[in-house]
Amino acid sequence: MLPFLSIIMCIGYLFGTIDGYLALWVVELGGSSGLVGAMYALASLVEIPLFFHSDKVYRWAGMRAILFISCGAYLVRVVSYSMLQDPFMVLFVEPFHALTIALFWGPCVTYMNDVLLCHTPELKATGQGSFFASFYTGRSIGYSLAGWLSDIGGMRFMFKTTLIAVGVLIVLVANFWRIEHILIRRTLAHSRSMLDFSLGADSSSSDSNDETSTLLGKKSNKAQHAHPVPRQ
């Protein structure tokens, strides 16, 4: 589960960076408050159908495809923001926001329950809490670090350095299944060994009980032969 939570934290970092500073960047480039409102409204409208149909996409394409789509959308967004000159061009980029959140959010929750925690259903609530904690931890780091970087080199510099986080996300997603399968195999092997140990302990206990019963039976028979019950 830890490799998956690392991906969620990285996505949270990217979300915090863009969500916290894109509006400031648009205004700095000469955009108006109305443009900022239109930008967020457009992103929200595009998200609505994807929130409704994200589970269908997950069942059809799988989690791997969804994560790679999110990686590609983040790459397009961050590169575009770092090269932005005309603030009105942001309206052509913001619809990609739906691919980074609306398409990603529901399937990740489902994948956490159905796949990663299928062998430990008692930890599903803990898994959901870990999912949200990872996302918001990354988000808080994104808010803080992006602000510091923008103070050092400006908004454009901050968005260019955010490409490093996009690269880290792509590497994590590309290696996620290999690492996750190794960890799942180890977990299953440990569970089987614990089950075999438990069954072995139960078998030994049962054999011991059988031997004890046999010995008690023999002692009882000897006692009856030594002290026969008189007939009336």
Side-chain angles (χ1 to χ4, degrees), residues 22-28 30-43 87-88 90-91 94:
L22 179 59
L24 297 176
W25 181 220
V26 169
V27 172
E28 185 177 314
S32 64
S33 299
L35 176 61
V36 173
M39 173 185 76
Y40 285 126
L42 179 61
F88 286 94
V90 76
L91 296 176
E94 268 307 275

Side-chain angles (χ1 to χ4, degrees), residues 107-207:
C108 281
V109 174
T110 303
Y111 183 78
M112 195 87 172
N113 273 339
D114 294 352
V115 178
L116 298 184
L117 298 174
C118 63
H119 299 290
T120 52
E122 70 278 4
L123 295 178
K124 286 190 175 182
T126 303
Q128 294 301 319
S130 301
F131 171 83
F132 285 101
S134 300
F135 180 82
Y136 283 102
T137 298
R139 185 177 176 178
S140 63
I141 295 172
Y143 284 139
S144 304
L145 187 57
W148 178 69
L149 290 171
S150 61
D151 284 339
I152 291 176
M155 290 288 186
R156 194 178 303 278
F157 170 77
M158 182 270 292
F159 279 113
K160 286 181 178 179
T161 56
T162 305
L163 285 170
I164 298 173
V166 177
V168 172
L169 176 62
I170 293 172
V171 171
L172 288 173
V173 171
N175 291 277
F176 166 65
W177 276 268
R178 181 175 61 85
I179 298 172
E180 198 68 41
H181 286 166
I182 292 173
L183 294 177
I184 289 174
R185 282 199 299 269
R186 289 180 179 177
T187 302
L188 291 176
H190 177 70
S191 300
R192 290 194 190 99
S193 65
M194 292 298 293
L195 180 61
D196 292 341
F197 176 79
S198 177
L199 291 175
D202 292 342
S203 177
S204 299
S205 177
S206 177
D207 293 342

Side-chain angles (χ1 to χ4, degrees), residues 57-77:
V57 177
Y58 167 66
R59 302 297 178 187
W60 174 69
M63 196 67 234
R64 184 194 298 265
I66 287 176
L67 287 177
F68 274 116
I69 289 171
S70 295
C71 288
Y74 269 119
L75 181 62
V76 170
R77 293 183 74 191

